[in-house]
Amino acid sequence: AVVSTQSTGRMKRLISVGGQHQGVYGFPHCPGPWWICREVDKLLNMGAYTDFVQSRLVQAQYWHDPLDEEKYRKKSRFIGEINQEGTIRPEYKTNLLKLANLTLIKFTKDSMVTPRESEWFGFYKPGQDKELMTLQENPALWDEDRLGLRQLSEEGRLEFLAVEGDHLQVPEKVWLDEIIPRLKD
């Protein structure tokens, strides 16, 4: 978000470690059976997009309800806006394209980010919460290239890194062998 919204930055490389780029849908670590968790999700849907909640809880600003994409586009104050789901701001794309490299790290066993594919700009296909689509299957983000991700990819400046483990659990070897070298010129 900082890269997209700021035109004066000098950031050359960005490594996103488990970032929820398409938002989240679901209550992480829900302690009950699936049907109770489903009811909790419904309650979250009822309140997540209210002005009161959106203006006070940062977690609500990452809420992305795939069952009601229209409401998400209209009411999301952060993740929907930054992904240009409503108003298109060409400067967001221009600013992101200033990066020399963007690396997206997804945790293969992430239990906090639902769906974990959001860490690579993937999400549920609209209208349901079972089938997933990749960034490359998203018409707005890939075909229209609203953020510049397709251009970054075509120019070899977008990397996807899968890290074995749960949310933000990065082994030292991955830091040393995979992440730190990507920060060097």
Side-chain angles (χ1 to χ4, degrees):
V2 172
V3 173
S4 295
T5 60
Q6 304 298 314
S7 62
T8 58
R10 293 191 321 228
M11 188 180 304
K12 290 178 65 176
R13 289 166 176 62
L14 174 62
I15 299 176
S16 174
V17 182
Q20 307 88 30
H21 299 291
Q22 278 287 31
V24 295
Y25 182 69
F27 182 56
H29 298 290
C30 183
W34 71 268
W35 57 272
I36 289 177
C37 297
R38 179 65 112 191
E39 293 304 311
V40 169
D41 286 346
K42 287 179 186 176
L43 289 172
L44 288 168
N45 281 335
M46 289 172 53
Y49 295 127
T50 64
D51 288 336
F52 179 83
V53 174
Q54 282 283 308
S55 66
R56 287 168 178 80
L57 294 174
V58 72
Q59 295 88 343
Q61 294 178 10
Y62 282 89
W63 191 253
H64 182 166
D65 181 359
L67 306 176
D68 194 346
E69 290 283 335
E70 184 177 336
K71 189 174 185 181
Y72 156 72
R73 281 188 207 76
K74 288 181 180 177
K75 299 286 187 170
S76 175
R77 288 194 180 176
F78 175 69
I79 202 73
E81 178 194 337
I82 204 70
N83 284 335
Q84 306 210 56
E85 298 282 359
T87 303
I88 306 296
R89 292 181 172 82
E91 66 271 19
Y92 286 9
K93 178 177 178 177
T94 299
N95 294 338
L96 193 67
L97 289 173
K98 291 177 183 176
L99 288 173
N101 186 269
L102 171 61
T103 302
L104 303 173
I105 296 177
K106 177 176 80 171
F107 294 92
T108 60
K109 296 177 181 163
D110 201 317
S111 62
M112 290 298 293
V113 177
T114 304
R116 66 180 62 104
E117 287 72 16
S118 179
E119 296 169 349
W120 283 357
F121 280 94
F123 205 68
Y124 296 111
K125 292 181 179 179
Q128 50 82 48
D129 62 353
K130 301 283 184 252
E131 284 186 68
L132 297 162
M133 68 176 168
T134 65
L135 164 64
Q136 294 80 0
E137 296 169 316
N138 183 315
L141 293 181
W142 195 256
D143 299 338
E144 296 174 33
D145 201 21
R146 290 183 185 175
L147 300 177
L149 296 169
R150 187 184 74 217
Q151 184 175 339
L152 284 172
S153 178
E154 289 170 351
E155 294 172 1
R157 298 187 291 146
L158 177 62
E159 298 178 297
F160 300 91
L161 178 62
V163 173
E164 191 73 26
D166 203 352
H167 191 64
L168 302 182
Q169 302 302 306
V170 183
E172 182 179 2
K173 182 169 178 43
V174 172
W175 280 110
L176 296 174
D177 295 349
E178 299 288 341
I179 297 174
I180 292 173
R182 285 180 165 84
L183 294 172
K184 297 178 181 176
D185 282 331

